[in-house]
Amino acid sequence: NTTNNVLVRDVTMNGIFFNPGAGGGLRINNFALVDSTVGPWNQSGGQASEPVYMQTCGSSCTFVGTNIVFDNVTWEDITVPAGPEPHTEALRIDGGYDGVTLRNSSMYDNINLTTGSILITTLGISSPSRNITIKNNYFGTNGAAFFTLVPGGPTCVGLVVAYNTFLEEPWPHAC
């Protein structure tokens, strides 16, 4: 099952959850969120741990999505209650995505993010995400997080970070 060519434009939403299902039975190709706002979002309302969560399908699949674009999207008022939540980000990309672009967007006024504004992980999949472009964005303060962008290990293949404004430390230079 594959979803192709989805354009979501000019919406305000609490969040979006990409869930390919066990074994990667669902795939998404050519998805774009454009001219939109994510937030306000408050984890205490029983929502998922990240307002935009691109989840993996586990170790039994390869790629679950291609050509995912966030263009002119504002993440604002992402509020996480202080506490033991180990990973909270505004945007989380697990393994299995090929071609993710974040451009002309901003993340600010986000309280108590614990990992960073963006976390890119491999999380239990044999195919890490690759070809991720983060370009021409504004990153304000990100709460309790140490870094704005946290890429993990092999996700650095094809990672392009260019022409962004960071008010805090961009990343721990893992690439």
Side-chain angles (χ1 to χ4, degrees), residues 43 79-85 111-112 114 144:
Q43 186 180 15
T79 303
V80 180
E85 175 64 39
I111 301 169
N112 290 332
T114 56

Side-chain angles (χ1 to χ4, degrees), residues 87-144:
H87 293 285
T88 307
E89 307 81 29
L91 170 61
R92 178 176 175 155
I93 305 168
D94 286 346
Y97 293 89
D98 186 7
V100 178
T101 301
L102 173 67
R103 65 178 173 232
N104 306 317
S105 297
S106 14
M107 294 184 179
Y108 59 88
D109 292 338
N110 299 316
I111 301 169
N112 290 332
L113 298 177
T114 56
T115 306
S117 293
I118 302 173
L119 174 66
I120 306 168
T121 75
T122 52
L123 193 64
I125 189 168
S126 58
S127 301
S129 290
R130 62 184 183 198
N131 302 316
I132 297 172
T133 301
I134 301 169
K135 182 175 157 184
N136 222 22
N137 301 291
Y138 171 84
F139 297 96
T141 59
N142 52 39

